[in-house]
Amino acid sequence: MTEGILMKGNEALAEAAIRAGCNFYVGYPITPQNEVLEYMCWRMEQSGGEFIQSESEIAAVNILLGAAAAGARGMISSSGPGFSLFQEGISYLVAGDIPAVIVDVARYGSGIGEISQGQCDYSLVTRGNGHGDSHLIVLTPASVQETADLTALAFDLAEKYRHPVIILSDAAIGQMMEPVVLPEPQKADIDRYDWTVKGCLSENKPRLITNLFYYMDDYDRFLRDKYESMRQNEQRWESFCVDDAEIIIVAYGISSRVSREVVRKARDEGIKLGMIRLITAYPFPEKAFEHLDNCKAFVTVEMSAVGHLADDVRLADRCAHPVYSICTGINVPERDEILTTVKSIADKNAGGR
């Protein structure tokens, strides 16, 4: 490991990707992820990889598809409307069993929306990602250090499952500066896998990347088994003060950082509050909701208008407890406002299960 240095979240993500062996990056400018593209434009050449600024997000994701099919350890990044334009390309990556890393530094709002931080892409990344039966592992960092760590993990998981993986950051995490320890560099040989396209001039037999649906006798079972393996083996979360908690906050990203302070403040005031912090949004960490014997209610805290997390919490809890949502929209949640709501919920659920 190298010494800790002060870096912006987006730049730490880019550097961690290169050190994880990323040798191909393609993207198109959009706030608030521009630092990823800007960093890659000089650093990728320096590290011996390939950088492309495409003419659009639609072009970018299809360029990534080709590079990844040829064996490149590839990454793409965007935000908001740009990420929406990736959807068809993502479904083709899934259909072809092709690994790649896709970064969404989320911003607020539908359509053009706002360029400020937001967490309203949750439903898209966990239930969208193109037409058909597309599910992607979704990693949700809550610090600059975790951004670097999960970026390295994303490439490993993509190749483990031969499947694209999403890093769901947000503008607050992407723009903040914190100390980070970066991993030692590694290289990824473009010819390391025998399934990749080698080209017509290769000494090996030419290969094509095709939609597996048409060439597998039991594609349905293959895909279900892959997703089940993800669900069983890749759930990641942090439980904070949940053992005796009567109310449990569920949050991720920047909202989880504020929520941690809410838990500490509530505990000082005698309120048994805890938090489950998502590290994976997909697969959702259902195992974190087991054996919460004292729980009376859950509260989701997120920067959205409608409360995307609530349905997944209800499913994980099997609708055993009420689920409330604190939706702060474009504003980063504030500790005292969350605590006031938690106290109101505590009063409402006092004495009940």
Side-chain angles (χ1 to χ4, degrees):
M1 304 293 282
T2 58
E3 292 184 3
I5 56 175
L6 192 65
M7 292 190 80
K8 185 177 285 191
N10 284 340
E11 294 178 344
L13 187 154
E15 179 63 29
I18 290 172
R19 288 172 178 248
C22 177
N23 49 24
F24 184 86
Y25 172 87
V26 57
Y28 186 78
I30 186 171
T31 305
Q33 64 83 51
N34 281 331
E35 290 86 357
V36 178
L37 183 142
E38 291 166 358
Y39 194 93
M40 283 296 199
C41 78
W42 63 271
R43 188 69 175 89
M44 186 61 79
E45 180 180 8
Q46 190 180 72
S47 67
E50 294 291 334
F51 167 88
I52 296 177
Q53 179 178 316
S54 64
E55 66 270 32
S56 70
E57 289 89 354
I58 294 174
V61 73
N62 285 286
I63 293 169
L64 175 68
L65 173 64
R73 210 168 207 205
M75 186 175 83
I76 195 170
S77 62
S78 193
S79 181
F83 186 81
S84 294
L85 293 172
F86 288 169
Q87 300 307 297
E88 183 184 34
I90 291 174
S91 72
Y92 276 97
L93 286 163
V94 172
D97 222 27
I98 302 172
V101 173
I102 301 160
V103 179
D104 179 9
V105 183
R107 67 194 215 184
Y108 185 75
S110 303
I112 296 298
E114 249 283 357
I115 62 172
S116 301
Q117 65 277 332
Q119 293 181 309
C120 37
D121 287 356
Y122 179 90
S123 293
L124 177 61
V125 300
T126 58
R127 290 173 171 80
N129 300 314
H131 55 281
D133 296 308
S134 298
H135 283 303
L136 275 63
I137 293 174
V138 180
L139 303 170
T140 60
S143 67
V144 175
Q145 181 64 62
E146 196 169 49
T147 298
D149 295 342
L150 293 184
T151 299
L153 176 64
F155 284 97
D156 291 339
L157 291 175
E159 293 182 359
K160 175 181 178 180
Y161 291 99
R162 277 186 62 180
H163 205 78
V165 171
I166 290 175
I167 300 171
L168 178 61
S169 184
D170 59 63
I173 300 296
Q175 298 294 323
M176 68 170 54
M177 296 188 72
E178 290 182 325
V180 58
V181 176
L182 296 161
E184 292 294 337
Q186 59 176 297
K187 294 292 185 182
D189 182 0
I190 197 168
D191 295 319
R192 65 198 178 282
Y193 295 119
D194 60 7
W195 56 264
T196 54
V197 173
K198 303 302 180 187
C200 62
L201 299 180
S202 170
E203 295 180 0
N204 298 318
K205 182 179 178 180
R207 295 178 180 83
L208 297 175
I209 294 294
T210 57
N211 189 325
L212 296 183
F213 175 82
Y214 296 105
Y215 293 91
M216 292 187 67
D217 293 333
D218 198 0
Y219 175 76
D220 296 350
R221 178 170 295 279
F222 166 81
L223 198 58
R224 287 196 299 267
D225 287 349
K226 180 189 281 195
Y227 292 151
E228 180 61 19
S229 179
M230 292 176 185
R231 194 179 72 83
Q232 291 296 331
N233 300 311
E234 308 303 341
Q235 294 183 33
R236 288 173 168 81
W237 73 92
E238 178 193 8
S239 294
F240 182 61
C241 297
V242 300
D243 290 344
D244 65 341
E246 296 181 350
I247 298 175
I248 297 175
I249 290 174
V250 184
Y252 69 96
I254 189 63
S255 295
S256 69
R257 294 173 67 117
V258 181
S259 296
R260 186 184 302 273
E261 295 305 312
V262 176
V263 172
R264 292 192 177 106
K265 178 67 172 175
R267 290 277 169 171
D268 289 342
E269 297 185 17
I271 301 170
K272 294 182 178 180
L273 182 65
M275 178 180 69
I276 294 172
R277 179 176 73 86
L278 308 189
I279 300 176
T280 55
Y282 183 91
F284 191 79
E286 300 168 349
K287 297 174 184 178
F289 292 79
E290 298 173 355
H291 311 301
L292 302 176
D293 299 330
N294 296 299
C295 181
K296 297 177 181 178
F298 292 97
V299 184
T300 68
V301 178
E302 55 191 302
M303 295 181 60
S304 68
V306 298
H308 296 245
L309 273 172
D311 285 345
D312 278 342
V313 174
R314 291 188 186 98
L315 289 171
D317 184 50
R318 302 190 179 189
C319 297
H321 304 92
V323 179
Y324 304 88
S325 293
I326 299 175
C327 301
T328 64
I330 199 170
N331 299 311
V332 175
E334 294 188 6
R335 185 194 67 177
D336 291 343
E337 291 182 3
I338 298 173
L339 184 57
T340 298
T341 304
V342 165
K343 289 177 178 178
S344 175
I345 292 169
D347 291 341
K348 190 180 300 184
N349 290 275
R353 283 297 308 275

